[in-house]
């Protein structure tokens, strides 16, 4: 990727991320807000992930729980943004096979059981049919941790921006 292409790509990602707080506030209290946010981060105009799975690791309750899943072949397709059609989007996500598969994941906490993130990601990638997943872990409220598994597209991931964007999940009810 040439410099001008990288700059254009970074600009697109930052525009997408900058629109998120406004949308989070407009749908404040929505139960599946994490699905809305994950969908935005995975779209082509943002990080362009073909597949991603979001989990929360809660050592106090000894749970690693699946929160949301995104698979581009099952993504919400509409002329309007999914943020502007919350009922339709939520219905769509309840029908999305991959999202439901991720939400059914419930395991023992990574942190509480001294497992390595790498081995848990490897197990989850087999269960969820990821090929060569990348992942990020970040701290969230109440000494919990978020875990995002994702497949990269051909375009380079702007990892430092991704890490900052993942903290937006802290504004979602489940986190």
């Amino acid at each position: 990727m040439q410099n001008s292409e990288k700059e254009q790509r970074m600009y697109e990602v930052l525009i997408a991320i900058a629109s998120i707080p406004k949308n989070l506030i407009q749908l404040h209290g929505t139960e599946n807000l994490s699905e809305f946010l994950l969908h935005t981060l995975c779209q082509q105009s943002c990080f362009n992930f073909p597949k991603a799975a979001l989990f929360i690791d809660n050592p106090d309750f000894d749970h690693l729980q699946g929160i949301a899943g995104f698979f581009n072949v099952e993504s919400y397709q509409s002329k309007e943004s999914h943020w502007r059609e919350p009922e339709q989007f939520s219905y769509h996500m309840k029908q999305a096979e991959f999202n439901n598969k991720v939400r059914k994941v419930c395991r023992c906490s990574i942190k509480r059981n001294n497992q390595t993130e790498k081995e848990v990601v490897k197990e989850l990638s087999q269960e969820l049919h990821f090929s060569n997943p990348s992942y990020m872990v970040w701290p969230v409220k109440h000494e919990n941790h978020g875990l995002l598994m994702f497949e990269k597209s051909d375009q380079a991931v702007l990892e430092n921006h991704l890490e900052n964007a993942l903290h937006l999940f802290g504004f979602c009810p489940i986190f």
Side-chain angles (χ1 to χ4, degrees), residues 107-124:
R107 296 172 165 239
C108 294
S109 167
I110 298 170
K111 301 290 182 187
R112 184 172 184 163
N113 294 287
N114 298 316
Q115 298 172 301
T116 68
E117 295 154 357
K118 189 174 183 175
E119 69 186 357
V120 171
V121 166
K122 183 178 179 182
E123 292 169 9
L124 287 170

Side-chain angles (χ1 to χ4, degrees), residues 49-91:
F49 296 146
K51 189 184 252 189
L54 176 67
F55 304 90
I56 188 165
D57 186 12
N58 183 322
D60 290 337
F61 291 101
D62 196 17
H63 276 73
L64 174 69
Q65 180 65 53
I67 303 299
F70 174 88
F71 190 22
N72 62 357
V73 298
E74 297 177 348
S75 68
Y76 183 71
Q77 303 293 321
S78 177
K79 292 179 183 178
E80 288 293 321
S81 163
H82 58 288
W83 293 101
R84 290 184 176 49
E85 298 180 332
E87 294 84 15
Q88 295 91 330
F89 176 75
S90 295
Y91 177 80

